[in-house]
């Protein structure tokens, strides 16, 4: 990818002066600030309308930078970093004291990753600081996978948007916590569980039930469009939706049914990586059509399919069949 150094330089100056910059990563676009500038980080929370209990991921440009941010790096973490960085794996470790509380929401841990995108890496290097960044979307909504997505929702509120084209992975990073005895998967994402377990053996996959969620990406309803999404539905019940404006989101085959005027197929070849890369943009397109409902099809829950199903379940939370007819209310995402 051709990178315009002047633009990166300008972006880095904004970060150094305490501003906020939207930038591409291989997973989704992030909204970044100097991780050691609490006021700059506070602005990210404001712009996203993100609750302060939800900590941010700190992005580094070099694996060696991790040791300044954490107490220690367990051997399994080191192995995974060696295999998957730069890439869509975030590790949660016991933090060093000087990381501002606003970044970690007061937790004793910090989430860190090294993104695999030339623009993100140049930006971090030129800014000369780790960059704290959530996905560049209003809280609760789908993550952006193009610069246009960011522009549509946050344009006038950020200091600069770096355009690196569509994000190749398309779902957020996998988050793995090393804060307990055994590694625990907090969020399935761009590196599959199978890949991780092939390097360090079995990891815990069940979230701990807590009032204050470990990762609000783990909140039941999250990553959601405005249009209700229904995941568990049956082709034989389609008559129920007569007269409604329905869109469908299928894995590999279009639904040949005239009741559906709008359809998105995630991967004609049935490739889960391609499906993940298309997921959020496809849902966003459906979400602009003023549909009554989106019917989404399940994908096989292996490899990246686990991250796709996680996002679809959260996007469709609180909807059960039949979702139309006035009995279901869905709050605006906040
Ligand atoms: O791919 C990604 O991870 C993207 C790109 C921009 O890097 N970032 C992203 O950030 O998805 P965000 O903020 O939308 O999601 C980060 C998740 C949140 O659910 C947050 O709760 C969790 O990471 N998290 C951050 N720090 C944590 C910590 N110390 N312990 C547990 N979870 C943490
Ligand atoms: Mg997010």
């Amino acid at each position: 990818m051709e990178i315009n150094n002047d633009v990166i330089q300008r972006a880095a100056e904004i970060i150094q002066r305490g501003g906020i910059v939207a930038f591409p990563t291989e997973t989704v676009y992030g909204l970044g600030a100097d991780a050691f500038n609490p006021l700059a980080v506070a602005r990210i929370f404001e712009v996203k309308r993100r609750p302060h209990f939800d900590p941010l991921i700190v992005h580094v440009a070099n694996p060696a930078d991790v040791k300044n941010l954490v107490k220690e790096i367990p051997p399994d973490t080191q192995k995974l970093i060696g295999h998957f960085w730069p890439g869509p794996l975030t590790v949660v470790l016991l933090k060093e004291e000087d990381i501002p509380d606003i970044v970690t929401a007061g937790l004793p841990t910090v989430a860190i990753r090294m993104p695999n995108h030339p623009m993100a890496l140049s930006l971090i290097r030129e800014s000369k600081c780790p960059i704290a960044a959530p996905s560049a979307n209003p809280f609760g909504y789908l993550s952006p996978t193009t610069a246009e997505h960011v522009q549509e929702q946050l344009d006038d509120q950020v200091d600069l948007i770096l355009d690196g084209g569509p994000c190749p992975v398309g779902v957020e990073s996998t988050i793995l916590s090393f804060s307990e005895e055994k590694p625990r998967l907090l969020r399935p994402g761009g590196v599959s569980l199978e890949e991780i377990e092939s390097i360090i053996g079995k990891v815990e996959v069940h979230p701990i039930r807590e009032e204050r969620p470990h990762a609000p990406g783990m909140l039941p309803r999250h990553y959601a469009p405005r249009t209700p999404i229904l995941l568990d539905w049956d082709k034989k019940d389609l008559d129920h939706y007569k007269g409604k404006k329905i869109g469908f989101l299928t894995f590999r085959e279009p639904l040949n049914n005239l009741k559906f005027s709008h359809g998105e197929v995630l991967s004609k070849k049935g490739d889960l990586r391609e499906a993940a890369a298309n997921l959020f943009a496809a849902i966003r397109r459906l979400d602009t059509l003023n549909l009554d409902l989106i019917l989404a099809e399940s994908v096989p829950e292996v490899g990246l399919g686990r991250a796709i199903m996680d996002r679809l379940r959260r996007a469709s939370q609180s909807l059960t069949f039949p979702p139309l007819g006035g009995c279901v209310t869905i709050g605006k995402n906040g």
Side-chain angles (χ1 to χ4, degrees), residues 48 50 135 137 143 222-223:
K48 277 192 60 120
R50 178 172 174 123
S135 51
N137 51 280
S143 297
H222 207 74
Y223 307 110

Side-chain angles (χ1 to χ4, degrees), residues 53-55 175 186-187 210 212-219 314:
F53 64 73
D54 190 358
I175 305 180
L186 298 186
R187 177 176 76 181
E210 275 184 308
R212 212 170 84 147
H214 246 75
M218 298 164 74
L219 288 172
R314 289 179 209 283

Side-chain angles (χ1 to χ4, degrees), residues 73-125:
I73 308 174
D76 278 352
T77 314
Q78 198 68 62
K79 269 195 211 160
L80 292 176
I81 287 177
H83 267 87
F84 298 114
W85 280 14
L89 174 70
T90 296
V91 295
V92 173
L93 297 168
L94 284 177
K95 72 163 197 148
E96 203 52 271
E97 259 89 54
D98 57 347
I99 301 175
D101 273 343
I102 187 162
V103 172
T104 61
L107 293 172
T109 54
V110 60
I112 309 174
R113 88 176 188 99
M114 176 179 173
N116 187 14
H117 194 290
M119 275 187 148
L121 293 171
S122 311
L123 176 67
I124 302 164
R125 283 197 194 103

Side-chain angles (χ1 to χ4, degrees), residues 203-223:
V203 305
E204 304 282 333
V205 293
H206 295 294
I208 315 165
R209 286 221 160 266
E210 275 184 308
E211 264 176 32
R212 212 170 84 147
H214 246 75
M218 298 164 74
L219 288 172
R221 185 165 168 80
H222 207 74
Y223 307 110

Side-chain angles (χ1 to χ4, degrees), residues 155-200:
D155 191 30
D156 48 345
Q157 301 173 76
V158 304
D159 298 317
L160 186 74
I161 300 173
L162 290 174
D163 187 349
C167 301
V169 175
V171 289
E172 301 84 350
S173 61
T174 301
I175 305 180
L176 201 59
S177 172
F178 290 88
S179 66
E180 305 158 64
E181 217 167 290
K182 272 201 155 175
R184 184 182 296 274
L185 180 73
L186 298 186
R187 177 176 76 181
V191 172
S192 71
L193 183 63
E194 291 89 337
E195 288 173 288
I196 289 170
E197 292 189 331
S198 76
I199 312 279
I200 59 165

Side-chain angles (χ1 to χ4, degrees), residues 71-330:
K71 296 253 190 265
E72 63 163 342
I73 308 174
D76 278 352
T77 314
Q78 198 68 62
K79 269 195 211 160
L80 292 176
I81 287 177
H83 267 87
F84 298 114
W85 280 14
L89 174 70
T90 296
V91 295
V92 173
L93 297 168
L94 284 177
K95 72 163 197 148
E96 203 52 271
E97 259 89 54
D98 57 347
I99 301 175
D101 273 343
I102 187 162
V103 172
T104 61
L107 293 172
T109 54
V110 60
I112 309 174
R113 88 176 188 99
M114 176 179 173
N116 187 14
H117 194 290
M119 275 187 148
L121 293 171
S122 311
L123 176 67
I124 302 164
R125 283 197 194 103
E126 294 302 319
S127 303
K128 300 183 174 58
C129 60
I131 291 186
S135 51
N137 51 280
F139 185 70
Y141 196 71
L142 303 161
S143 297
T145 53
T146 65
E148 290 75 31
H149 292 163
V150 182
Q151 210 167 10
E152 280 159 23
Q153 293 187 298
L154 300 176
D155 191 30
D156 48 345
Q157 301 173 76
V158 304
D159 298 317
L160 186 74
I161 300 173
L162 290 174
D163 187 349
C167 301
V169 175
V171 289
E172 301 84 350
S173 61
T174 301
I175 305 180
L176 201 59
S177 172
F178 290 88
S179 66
E180 305 158 64
E181 217 167 290
K182 272 201 155 175
R184 184 182 296 274
L185 180 73
L186 298 186
R187 177 176 76 181
V191 172
S192 71
L193 183 63
E194 291 89 337
E195 288 173 288
I196 289 170
E197 292 189 331
S198 76
I199 312 279
I200 59 165
K202 282 272 168 224
V203 305
E204 304 282 333
V205 293
H206 295 294
I208 315 165
R209 286 221 160 266
E210 275 184 308
E211 264 176 32
R212 212 170 84 147
H214 246 75
M218 298 164 74
L219 288 172
R221 185 165 168 80
H222 207 74
Y223 307 110
R226 281 173 210 90
T227 316
I229 291 195
L230 186 65
L231 189 53
D232 297 310
W233 47 280
D234 199 320
K235 279 188 185 160
K236 67 180 183 338
D237 294 327
L238 292 182
D239 272 350
H240 179 79
Y241 306 109
K242 244 192 225 126
K244 303 289 178 193
K245 244 182 121 180
I246 304 289
F248 69 88
L249 181 73
T250 54
F251 178 35
R252 51 192 311 170
E253 307 270 348
L255 244 195
N256 287 324
N257 187 308
L258 290 179
K259 290 186 198 87
F260 297 94
S261 41
H262 306 282
E264 292 280 346
V265 178
L266 291 175
S267 169
K268 291 212 170 84
K269 316 192 272 249
D271 175 355
L272 288 166
R273 285 192 183 273
E274 183 181 42
N278 289 330
L279 181 68
F280 290 150
I283 299 176
R284 274 174 190 262
R285 282 192 293 273
L286 291 171
D287 205 21
T288 59
L289 300 173
N290 280 319
L291 300 168
D292 295 311
L293 184 70
I294 297 168
L295 296 181
E297 184 180 52
S298 294
V299 306
E301 222 157 329
V302 290
L304 283 218
R306 217 176 250 115
I308 296 174
M309 287 304 292
D310 173 79
R311 305 308 186 270
L312 285 177
R313 285 203 185 96
R314 289 179 209 283
S316 66
Q317 253 291 315
S318 85
L319 274 192
T320 45
F321 181 86
L324 295 170
C327 55
V328 180
T329 45
I330 297 158

